[in-house]
Amino acid sequence: MNLNYSQRFTKLNSVFQLGVSTHLEDSDVDIRFFTFKSSLMSVNNTVISETDEEINENLSFSYPVFIPAKKRRSDKAILLLHGLNERSWNKYLTWAEYLCVATGKPVILFPIAFHINRSPKSWSNPRALQNILHLRRQRNSNDRSISYANVILSERLSENPFLFYTSGRQSLFDLIQLFEEIKAGKHPFFKENTQLDIFSYSIGAFLAQITLMTDLNHLFSDSKLFMFCGGSIFSKMYGVSRSIMDKNAYENLHRYFIFSFDTDTNLNWNRDKIFDSFYSMISPERDLEKRTSFFHQKSDRIKGILLKQDVVIPYIGVQEALGKDITEANTKLMDFSFSYTHENPFPVGKNIDSQAVNDAFLRVFSQAAAFLA
């Protein structure tokens, strides 16, 4: 695929509209939208948050699928899982288009709970966030990591860090529901027994790892997983960022899951397979042998690329999650010649070496496509 990443990024973001089907002439790809209704977020059939239960956007929404033009029903697909605190598909459009063209497979962009179009529009409206931002800055000594972009997630996780688990749990059940619909031939575009593989980024990789480890109803046993800037054990993730969460929220979240999560007497625990998989991904010593044995067994179906200057998902965190041998054999640690971050690995704009960014993008995504083809 002939690609100018910067130009393509700008072009796709100018034509993409949620809910509006589009034909991309330059790549001969169609973007189509499908609707999804999620079951209520619950643990032991008890709704965790009545307020969250009332967020209709989280329960009924649409998701885009990038489809090779003229393709009718497909028996193969790639599921793309995004990062934490995303409010739009902007940076993923070029990723999805490239994977679609390079593999010839449809790419499903599925939002995790309370993200993208599964959250109220007010969560992305600076005017609506002014008061909460001001109060949070007052309470946290004008912490410079507080921003309009991260204030809602920061506030929610500071008040109730358990939401990180429950929203992840709902997302996992949504993936089960989606995979069941597709594999049963009930999806309008996919054939029965469609082969579903996963491209995951950041927290999307964490969700994918737990989903594969849980493997309810054996829906994911034949899925390949490619992780980009993802795959770390929870304890080594560093989420302090003006794009993700502020320092107070991160410290509260980290403290809760490391020290209190499994002993919280206020919660009626259902220690099922999902809980056990999540628990084993919190810190390296928890269920070490069981976790690393799983990844060793799945080693031919898992690949990843990490970035040297990524402080959010460090390489050592992936080693602690997968085991050193699997990490060295199945992942690559890359670095780029330009300035980048975890949140923005392929920057676009003035004073950016667009050719270097283009080359870096192709280095990463050509390997992802080759693995998922």
Side-chain angles (χ1 to χ4, degrees), residues 54-74:
E54 295 169 359
I55 298 176
N56 292 325
E57 294 93 335
N58 185 49
L59 301 177
S60 181
F61 55 92
S62 65
Y63 61 91
V65 181
F66 282 61
I67 299 168
K70 299 173 186 171
K71 204 172 187 80
R72 298 200 175 174
R73 297 191 83 201
S74 178

Side-chain angles (χ1 to χ4, degrees), residues 229 304-310 313-316 318-319 327-328 330-336 340 363-364 367:
C229 294
I305 290 177
L306 290 306
L307 298 182
K308 190 174 182 180
Q309 296 176 45
D310 185 348
I313 303 290
Y315 185 76
I316 189 175
V318 182
Q319 287 182 319
T327 303
E328 290 173 6
N330 290 44
T331 71
K332 293 184 179 179
L333 183 61
M334 288 188 178
D335 199 13
F336 304 147
Y340 64 87
R363 279 175 64 197
V364 171
Q367 293 183 53

